[in-house]
Amino acid sequence: MKKECIAMLLAGGQGSRLYVLTENMAKPAVPFGGKFRIIDFPLSNCANSGIDTVGVLTQYRPLELNRYIGSGQPWDLDRNDGGVHILPPYQSNDGASWYKGTANAIYQNIGFVDMYDPDYVLILSGDHIYKMDYAAMLAHHKRTGADCTISVMEVPWEDAPRFGIMNVDENDTIVEFEEKPKQPKSNLASMGIYIFTWQKLRRYLIEDESDEHSSNDFGKNIIPAMLHRGEKMSAYRFNGYWKDVGTLDSLWDANMDMLSVSSGLDLLEKDWPIYGRSLSAPPTYLGKDARVKHSVVSRGCTVEGTAENSVLSERCTVEEGACVEYSILMPGVTVKSGAKIAYAIIGENAAVGADARVGKAPEQTAEEAWGITVVAPETCVPEGYELGANRMLNSDGEESVR
């Protein structure tokens, strides 16, 4: 059946800047906010925007992500006509090939897109935390008669050199694209969210694939090529909360933003819910001496110690006398009696031994570089061990500076 618009969700990235958290899983599968995974956000946005056909392009360590998405039921994407489809690289007549870049990933799935014969294709990334109405962006694309619409948001001028910057005219038509300019002319940063008129994009993908010098990337190749040839390119301004959680610091920041009323990241909003796959877990238990303040405590948690300004995912345990502050505990973490955790991210099913110290507050690190401390999934921090600020403990128990 013909679809007006389908989404292609790029979820194959290794997420190397998340270090030990993505050793065994793709970045979009990383837990977020106590009960979600990063990929829940673009999938929920699709569901809330009325886009019922989504191709999820996977590559690096896809098992956890594939298991989590399943049939797509939590996002109402378990459809006979459309729904969610996992699209790994596959062997063709020319042999097997990993996705070489974002554009090549879509090129390798031209057959999937053609199967639905869409008028438009929405290209999404799987590592952003935000709520966005793609239907409004599509309406803008159609209203302006654009060949490509790029979602942009204003960033502080001092941050503009870190982004791809769109320079626009008085009608928000894109006239120039600059990748991480040293002296930006605009502070309109690309969010990596695109809507293309499909037949136009299809031609550019085929042409780009034939160029052996191309990086096969939307930002480096497809968009500059379309601008160079005078295609109609429009900027769609987004004013809500958006964060790329591709680094440990940004992942920690986004979780803390969720705890802040003023940040604009409200995951309890009924008009635009974020859906996720809920795992079976018993009710939360708070002991008689438990102290929980300004924190998220998910189902299946047992808290007999202290949790302040923190996110406790499903099935976490904080024993009596233990203290967790300004930290993220991913699913299944155990914090033993007397342990202290501050400004840290503890990976799934890790255990922090009794009386251990993990992380430090910024004011406690006058003589050393401060940063978020990270413990790899499935890792045990020994009893009494001290892991300072800006440190990382990998799955082999080896400590390093981040």
Side-chain angles (χ1 to χ4, degrees):
M1 178 180 178
K2 179 178 175 60
K3 300 284 184 179
E4 180 184 33
C5 181
I6 70 170
M8 299 293 277
L9 175 52
L10 298 164
Q14 180 177 352
S16 58
R17 292 179 299 164
L18 291 178
Y19 297 98
V20 295
L21 297 182
T22 51
E23 281 184 339
N24 294 302
M25 70 172 69
K27 181 166 49 175
V30 169
F32 180 85
K35 62 174 290 187
F36 302 107
R37 305 260 170 177
I38 296 172
I39 200 169
D40 287 332
F41 289 82
L43 288 178
S44 296
N45 288 337
C46 285
N48 292 327
S49 301
I51 294 176
D52 63 7
T53 304
V54 183
V56 180
L57 286 71
T58 63
Q59 181 159 276
Y60 173 80
R61 300 282 188 179
L63 294 181
E64 180 69 20
L65 188 61
N66 294 352
R67 182 201 64 80
Y68 183 74
I69 294 174
S71 67
Q73 185 274 331
W75 308 274
D76 193 28
L77 291 172
D78 52 338
R79 310 281 184 100
N80 290 328
D81 178 27
V84 65
H85 300 260
I86 305 296
L87 302 172
Y90 61 90
Q91 184 157 353
S92 65
N93 292 335
D94 298 327
S97 174
W98 291 113
Y99 295 144
K100 294 179 288 185
T102 54
N104 174 260
I106 305 300
Y107 170 82
Q108 287 200 37
N109 288 282
I110 281 178
F112 171 81
V113 180
D114 282 344
M115 185 167 61
Y116 292 100
D117 189 23
D119 297 316
Y120 311 102
V121 171
L122 170 67
I123 308 294
L124 303 171
S125 295
D127 53 2
H128 299 159
I129 301 297
Y130 67 113
K131 295 181 177 182
M132 183 176 179
D133 185 354
Y134 302 140
M137 183 177 175
L138 178 59
H140 172 91
H141 180 82
K142 293 192 289 186
R143 183 171 60 252
T144 59
D147 299 302
C148 171
T149 296
I150 301 174
S151 183
V152 299
M153 65 184 302
E154 292 186 12
V155 298
W157 278 94
E158 61 270 22
D159 292 340
R162 299 193 296 109
F163 292 91
I165 296 298
M166 300 294 168
N167 300 321
V168 301
D169 65 14
E170 66 278 6
N171 298 315
D172 279 343
T173 297
I174 299 169
V175 296
E176 185 181 14
F177 171 62
E178 296 180 287
E179 181 65 31
K180 298 181 179 180
K182 292 182 179 179
Q183 295 182 319
K185 304 172 188 176
S186 160
N187 67 336
L188 287 179
S190 170
M191 299 166 62
I193 301 168
Y194 316 118
I195 291 180
F196 291 94
T197 300
W198 171 236
Q199 289 304 320
K200 180 78 70 170
L201 173 61
R202 193 180 191 280
R203 292 196 293 272
Y204 275 90
L205 290 174
I206 293 171
E207 181 181 297
D208 180 71
E209 187 64 23
S210 66
D211 181 359
E212 61 182 19
H213 301 295
S214 175
S215 300
N216 305 124
D217 183 83
F218 279 105
K220 295 177 182 178
N221 305 109
I222 300 295
I223 291 170
M226 294 183 75
L227 273 173
H228 179 71
R229 294 191 186 174
E231 307 290 3
K232 180 68 180 292
M233 313 281 281
S234 181
Y236 176 75
R237 294 176 183 258
F238 178 73
N239 297 313
Y241 181 93
W242 176 87
K243 189 175 286 290
D244 180 338
V245 289
T247 68
L248 292 169
D249 290 336
S250 61
L251 178 63
W252 183 87
D253 285 342
N255 274 271
M256 294 300 111
D257 287 343
M258 182 190 62
L259 299 176
S260 171
V261 175
S262 61
S263 72
L265 181 59
D266 180 6
L267 301 189
L268 301 178
E269 185 180 11
K270 294 182 180 179
D271 292 340
W272 200 269
I274 300 300
Y275 304 100
R277 183 174 296 282
S278 296
L279 302 178
S280 177
T284 298
Y285 172 76
L286 302 181
K288 62 182 179 64
D289 295 321
R291 184 170 182 266
V292 177
K293 181 180 179 181
H294 196 234
S295 297
V296 168
V297 180
S298 302
R299 293 191 311 172
C301 286
T302 297
V303 181
E304 298 185 274
T306 298
E308 293 189 13
N309 300 301
S310 294
V311 176
L312 277 60
S313 303
E314 294 172 333
R315 299 175 284 102
C316 288
T317 299
V318 179
E319 293 187 354
E320 185 177 357
C323 180
V324 180
E325 297 179 322
Y326 291 95
S327 294
I328 304 165
L329 306 187
M330 292 189 171
V333 168
T334 298
V335 184
K336 293 290 187 178
S337 177
K340 308 294 182 185
I341 299 175
Y343 293 87
I345 302 175
I346 313 298
E348 287 190 69
N349 300 315
V352 179
D355 300 315
R357 301 289 184 268
V358 176
K360 291 183 179 179
E363 61 270 17
Q364 297 175 329
T365 56
E367 298 181 359
E368 57 184 324
W370 181 83
I372 300 300
T373 298
V374 185
V375 175
E378 312 286 346
T379 300
C380 180
V381 179
E383 181 177 337
Y385 191 88
E386 292 194 13
L387 186 64
N390 203 42
R391 309 293 290 183
M392 183 162 56
L393 194 68
N394 69 20
S395 55
D396 294 325
E398 298 171 341
E399 180 181 337
S400 62
V401 176
R402 267 188 47 212

